[in-house]
Amino acid sequence: MKKLFPVHHVMGYVFSLVLSVVALSVILWDMSLAVGMTILIICAAIQMGVQLFMFMHIGETGTKTSLYTNIAYALFVGLVTVFGTLFTMIWGYQ
Amino acid sequence: MKWDEFFVTGEPMIYGAMVSIVVVSLAIVIGLTYFKKWGYLWREWLTTVDHKRIGIMYIISALLMLFRGGVDGLLMRSQLAIPENGLLDAQHYNEIFTTHGVVMILFMAMPFIIGLMNVVVPLQIGARDVAFPRLNAVSFWLFFAGAMLFNLSFVIGGSPDAGWTAYFPLASNEFSPTVGMNYYSIAIQIAGIGTLMTGVNFIATILKMRAPGMTLMKMPMFTWSILITSVIILFAFPVLTVALALMMFDRLFGSQFFTMANGGMDMLWANLFWVWGHPEVYIVILPAFGIFSEVISTFSRKNLYGYASMVGSMVVISLLSFVVWAHHFYTMGHGAMVNGVFSITTMLIAVPTGVKIFNWLLTLHKGRIEFTTPMLYSLAFIPIFTIGGVTGVMLAMASADYQYHNTMFLVAHFHYVLIPGTVFAVLAGFYYWFPKLFGFRLNERQGKLAFWLIAVSFNVTFMPLFFLGLKGMTRRMYTYSADTGFGPLNLIATIGAFGLALGFILLVYNIYWSFRYAPRETSGDPWNARTLEWSTHSPIPDYNFAIVPTVTGRDPFWEHKKGGHQLYKGKYEEIHMPSNSGQPIILAGIFFLFGFSMVFSWWVPAIIAGIGIIVMMAVRSFERDHGYHIPVREIEETEARLRGEQA
Ligand code: HEM
Ligand SMILES: [Cu+2]
């Protein structure tokens, strides 16, 4: 029975709920922009780790090349989307 | 809400549509009951997890949607045929170009391509199915639920009318108060989840299930194009998912992401939409490149020229496609820096695309060319797509785009890339792989006639739009006065559109005629082709390959036929197959109800349906189904029967 129970997934689920609540607190309580952003960024980073390790089992793959290609691709697209959006919508806006 | 607000009222054309929907549905139900086909339909199709059947269902849906989108196109062209025409009013025209755009891209081009890849990819890599057959069925049914929900909008509640791009603030509650844009945000979301799953499924299939000996650099070009396409799907669709969800929050729950006040930013929608939207155009065009590569190589009787550069250029395109999106809104107030950067990245894409065009030309060079219908589409693609590409580079110059932006020039440009790039490609693929699925070819004479009608009418329809655009006719304009002088060219374009319609009718007739009269073939290889899918029987047995093929080169079946290589070694063994399931269609049905309730903000049914979705997933998680096995004796019998031997 112990083997059948998906401990990792349940833990991951609880973690992501907790992290979401913490992130929500940023708008519920008054705090300065810097503090709020710090909390959000830290939460986001941990959240990413939870997703990758607890749900996607990123440590368990056999072939490292496909893993690294995938991560490189994801980073490329993610960074381009975030910084490209900042670039077009804020920094480069007249 | 009153009933006359629920149903769309006061439009004779829509009453007609309602009546015909009811009549057709009744006819289907009565027909199925009369011929006692319900059981057959349920067992063989609605619950299937077989990639071939799922592919066929995708393609049938895509053809239906092509009809719907095509009628939209004809209506618009009829309205524009003469100045001050009164066929459609402004609101109706807005709704039609919106649904035309969405239907053509998301519910015609996408499923047609996904249908072909479902049919072909497992066969090309020598696999017995995709990696996750059940998930594949879920993908299809979610797409279907989304498409039906979207199409329902024009009789119930009213169609979306803010353009297929749904720019804010126009798409907000304030300026689009009907439920139309709710349909947009929810129906596309449901279909999009299905597409995302398809992407995951095909990446896993292609990476993990290739026949022994088929290294990545020995994969057929179509399979390569699908791998790259799936990667783009995987990374682009989440952006759409998020953008649509934010839109839904704004419209249903009063959040302020895309508003013009309270810290919202209306332009952010346009930005996110195109972060997905530009990769999306490559999602529909790269498979086309793959199809043309297969067809051109087969009918030139040569192997594909520049294989490695073909692969390389697709990888480069997949990366570049993520860094060009702002070229869709050069005129919305960015500085020179932003426009400059995006101009350059956009023009860069022309380089790998050009590499591909030259590779096809060099494949043709000195080949023994055979002018079959699929080959004709592929050959016509090259010059027409090049016109689309060259005008694309014109549009890419930000400063010049201030002149072209939102004119008919743009409309002409994207039809010049989308129609040869996507429609010609899927038609070529359809003619090419059709005999694999059904065991007979579509009639070539009718096929060629339809081709010429379509290819010529296409140019008659869209060439005038370039000039109309340069003269200043804007897009999405429901009428114009005679003084503008736009009349004659518009009339020519409309005549062309009816020629196109005739071509498509001929194509449908060709399918019908061939089902009845075309001679059946037994070889399984009617085109004398090169890749693995042609080495098994047509029609294809459930398990695709009785023995898993071993591969040593890029054109394994060709080498096999030339006697250099033995494809099938060893003897029959029991085959493990996935069993059918009714869960995917039920799940999608619940998604449909969920979406419909959300569109009208009926919270109680929405919550019930939402719980239903979770229950379905739980049921699936605790299910134990290990599939079934086909015994050796049954394989022997099937093989003998398909070879034409009498048992
Ligand atoms: C079958 C023949 C077709 C005809 C006659 C046709 C005609 C038209 C017309 C008249 C417009 C609107 C022009 C305007 O007033 O702005 C339009 C828009 C559009 N078409 Fe087509 N079209 C056809 C096929 C296609 C195909 C195959 C696709 C995509 C694969 C497509 C995608 C679009 C898109 C995305 C728009 C823009 C919609 C918008 O403005 O929101 N069309 N088409
Ligand atoms: Cu673009």
Side-chain angles (χ1 to χ4, degrees), chain B residues 81-92:
Chain B
I82 47 171
E84 325 254 20
N85 198 358
L87 178 67
L88 305 174
D89 59 26
Q91 174 61 19
H92 205 168

Side-chain angles (χ1 to χ4, degrees), chain B residues 76 93 97 100 104 163-164 414-415 418 423 462 475-476:
Chain B
M76 286 188 289
Y93 193 84
F97 68 66
H100 168 79
M104 281 296 195
W164 90 285
F414 68 66
H415 284 88
L418 280 169
V423 180
F462 291 102
R475 75 191 282 205
R476 295 174 176 172

Side-chain angles (χ1 to χ4, degrees), chain B residues 169-226:
Chain B
L170 180 59
S172 66
N173 279 333
E174 190 183 349
F175 298 105
S176 300
T178 70
V179 293
M181 295 315 291
N182 296 353
Y183 272 111
Y184 180 101
S185 64
I186 293 165
I188 298 180
Q189 185 74 289
I190 294 175
I193 297 171
T195 308
L196 200 48
M197 291 174 183
T198 303
V200 174
N201 211 340
F202 277 81
I203 293 177
T205 307
I206 297 174
L207 290 183
K208 293 286 179 197
M209 301 188 44
R210 296 190 309 275
M214 184 180 281
T215 56
L216 281 179
M217 287 311 267
K218 286 191 182 125
M219 289 196 314
M221 196 47 67
F222 180 67
T223 301
W224 253 117
S225 72
I226 296 303

Side-chain angles (χ1 to χ4, degrees), chain B residues 210-405:
Chain B
R210 296 190 309 275
M214 184 180 281
T215 56
L216 281 179
M217 287 311 267
K218 286 191 182 125
M219 289 196 314
M221 196 47 67
F222 180 67
T223 301
W224 253 117
S225 72
I226 296 303
L227 176 61
I228 309 270
T229 306
S230 306
V231 171
I232 306 183
I233 288 180
L234 184 65
F235 289 111
F237 264 76
V239 181
L240 179 71
T241 307
V242 169
L244 287 173
L246 297 182
M247 175 177 192
M248 185 186 77
F249 287 149
D250 267 18
R251 292 192 54 92
L252 297 184
F253 306 120
S255 64
Q256 308 278 327
F257 292 108
F258 302 131
T259 53
M260 289 183 294
N262 304 325
M265 191 189 225
D266 49 342
M267 278 290 296
L268 189 60
W269 164 267
N271 183 71
L272 290 178
F273 180 86
W274 287 113
V275 168
W276 160 79
H278 193 87
E280 165 68 14
V281 305
Y282 279 92
I283 293 171
V284 296
I285 220 100
L286 282 180
F289 291 172
I291 295 171
F292 290 135
S293 300
E294 301 288 337
V295 170
I296 289 179
S297 144
T298 298
F299 296 113
S300 309
R301 306 270 166 254
K302 280 173 67 188
N303 58 354
L304 191 65
Y305 184 88
Y307 181 94
S309 65
M310 282 295 208
V311 174
S313 57
M314 281 196 292
V315 174
V316 173
I317 288 178
S318 79
L319 291 171
L320 280 180
S321 74
F322 281 98
V323 293
V324 298
W325 74 91
H327 64 209
H328 292 275
F329 41 86
Y330 282 142
T331 56
M332 291 197 196
H334 311 284
M337 187 62 187
V338 172
N339 281 358
V341 167
F342 283 96
S343 270
I344 292 170
T345 52
T346 304
M347 288 186 208
L348 275 180
I349 283 207
V351 177
T353 316
V355 169
K356 301 190 77 76
I357 299 265
F358 283 110
N359 279 339
W360 288 314
L361 291 177
L362 287 166
T363 308
L364 290 165
H365 182 64
K366 289 195 176 157
R368 267 180 289 130
I369 297 175
E370 238 181 289
F371 293 96
T372 56
T373 311
M375 187 64 166
L376 285 176
Y377 280 108
S378 314
L379 293 177
F381 154 81
I382 297 177
I384 300 181
F385 186 79
T386 306
I387 298 179
V390 169
T391 50
V393 176
M394 290 168 70
L395 287 159
M397 293 182 274
S399 36
D401 186 56
Y402 275 81
Q403 191 65 27
Y404 312 131
H405 186 70

Side-chain angles (χ1 to χ4, degrees), chain B residues 116-128:
Chain B
L116 284 174
M117 73 202 228
N118 258 292
V119 170
V120 177
V121 166
L123 294 172
Q124 273 199 335
I125 62 175
R128 293 208 164 111

Side-chain angles (χ1 to χ4, degrees), chain B residues 20 46 95 99 133 157 199 253 256 264-265 388 519:
Chain B
S20 54
L46 304 187
E95 294 179 8
T99 51
F253 306 120
Q256 308 278 327
M265 191 189 225

